[in-house]
C-alpha cells in the first residue's frame, strides 16, 4: 500500500548574508549609537531601556528618511538578499524601517509586525548589523498554532517545539512572515552593542500575481 505525505501551510523563515556588512557597520554604527541617545521607547512597547527609532529618528540626523543616501545604500544590499530568497520575479516596497540598540540587559516583549490597515506588510526583516553570538540573544519565534497543536497529533511535523531560536551571525538578514510572533530575551551588559536594522516589506508583484 502506498501513501503520500503532504505538508500543509508551512511557515518559512529565511536567512541570508548581507553583502558589505563590515562597510555598512563602519558607516552606520557610529551614527546609530550617537542618535540612540536621543531616542525613547514607544509608549505601547513593553521593554526596558531599549533604544529604537521605531517612532522616528532625531530631527536633522535621519539615516533612513528625508531622501537619505543611507537608505539607498542598504536597500541595494537587502534587494540582493531578497533575490536569493524569492523564486519568481518580484517587486516590493519597504513601508517601515528602523533601528534598535541593545547595550545593558535590554529585552523586547512578544510582538508581531502586522501593522495596521494603512501600513500592512507581508514580510518583516531583521539585519544583525552589530552582533556577538557570545553576548547577544537571537530572536525567538513562537509557533502561532501552538495551542491547536496541543490538541492534535501531527507526527512530528513541528520538530522545533513551541519556540524556534535561529542561529545568528553578524551580517545575517532574517526574513519572516509579519504575523509571526517573536521576542528578544535579555542580553548581557556589554561594550559591544547589539544593533539591528528592522524593516517591513509589502510585496507588490510575485510572478504574474499583483
Amino acid at each position: 500500500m502506498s501513501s503520500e505525505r503532504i505538508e500543509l501551510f508551512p511557515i518559512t523563515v529565511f536567512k541570508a548574508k548581507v553583502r558589505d556588512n563590515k562597510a555598512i557597520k563602519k558607516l552606520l554604527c557610529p551614527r546609530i549609537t550617537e542618535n540612540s541617545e536621543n531616542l525613547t521607547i514607544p509608549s505601547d512597547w513593553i521593554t526596558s531601556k531599549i533604544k529604537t527609532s521605531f517612532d522616528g529618528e532625531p530631527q536633522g540626523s535621519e539615516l533612513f528618511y528625508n531622501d537619505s543616501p543611507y537608505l539607498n545604500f542598504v536597500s541595494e544590499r537587502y534587494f540582493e538578499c531578497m533575490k536569493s530568497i524569492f523564486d519568481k520575479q518580484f517587486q516590493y516596497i519597504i513601508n517601515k524601517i528602523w533601528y534598535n540598540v541593545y547595550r545593558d540587559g535590554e529585552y523586547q516583549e512578544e510582538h508581531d509586525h502586522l501593522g495596521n490597515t494603512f501600513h500592512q506588510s507581508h514580510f518583516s526583516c531583521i539585519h544583525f548589523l552589530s552582533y556577538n553570538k557570545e553576548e547577544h540573544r537571537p530572536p525567538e519565534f513562537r509557533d502561532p498554532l501552538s495551542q491547536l497543536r496541543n490538541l492534535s497529533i501531527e507526527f512530528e511535523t513541528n520538530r522545533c517545539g513551541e519556540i524556534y531560536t535561529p542561529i545568528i551571525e553578524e551580517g545575517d538578514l532574517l526574513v519572516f512572515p509579519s504575523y509571526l510572533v517573536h521576542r528578544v530575551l535579555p542580553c548581557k551588559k556589554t561594550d559591544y552593542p547589539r544593533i539591528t536594522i528592522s524593516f517591513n516589506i509589502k510585496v507588490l508583484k510575485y510572478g504574474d500575481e499583483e
Side-chain angles (χ1 to χ4, degrees), residues 60-122:
S61 300
E62 295 87 354
L63 296 179
F64 301 130
Y65 292 95
N66 294 340
D67 297 322
S68 167
Y70 301 118
L71 179 59
N72 291 331
F73 184 68
V74 296
S75 293
E76 289 178 5
R77 275 70 181 169
Y78 296 156
F79 183 77
E80 292 173 0
C81 291
M82 296 303 175
K83 285 179 66 176
S84 72
I85 291 171
F86 280 83
D87 58 354
K88 296 181 181 180
Q89 293 294 316
F90 64 94
Q91 294 178 7
Y92 69 85
I93 58 171
I94 295 177
N95 57 16
K96 179 80 173 179
I97 184 168
W98 68 101
Y99 49 83
N100 300 313
V101 179
Y102 301 72
R103 287 195 189 90
D104 183 13
E106 292 91 345
Y107 64 89
Q108 191 165 11
E109 78 283 9
E110 287 193 342
H111 63 284
D112 59 57
H113 291 196
L114 276 175
N116 54 45
T117 303
F118 302 103
H119 293 91
Q120 295 178 339
S121 59
H122 296 117

Side-chain angles (χ1 to χ4, degrees), residues 44-68:
D44 57 344
W45 286 25
I46 303 173
T47 183
S48 68
K49 301 178 292 184
I50 188 174
K51 299 293 187 178
T52 178
S53 65
F54 186 82
D55 275 350
E57 301 182 62
Q59 189 171 2
S61 300
E62 295 87 354
L63 296 179
F64 301 130
Y65 292 95
N66 294 340
D67 297 322
S68 167

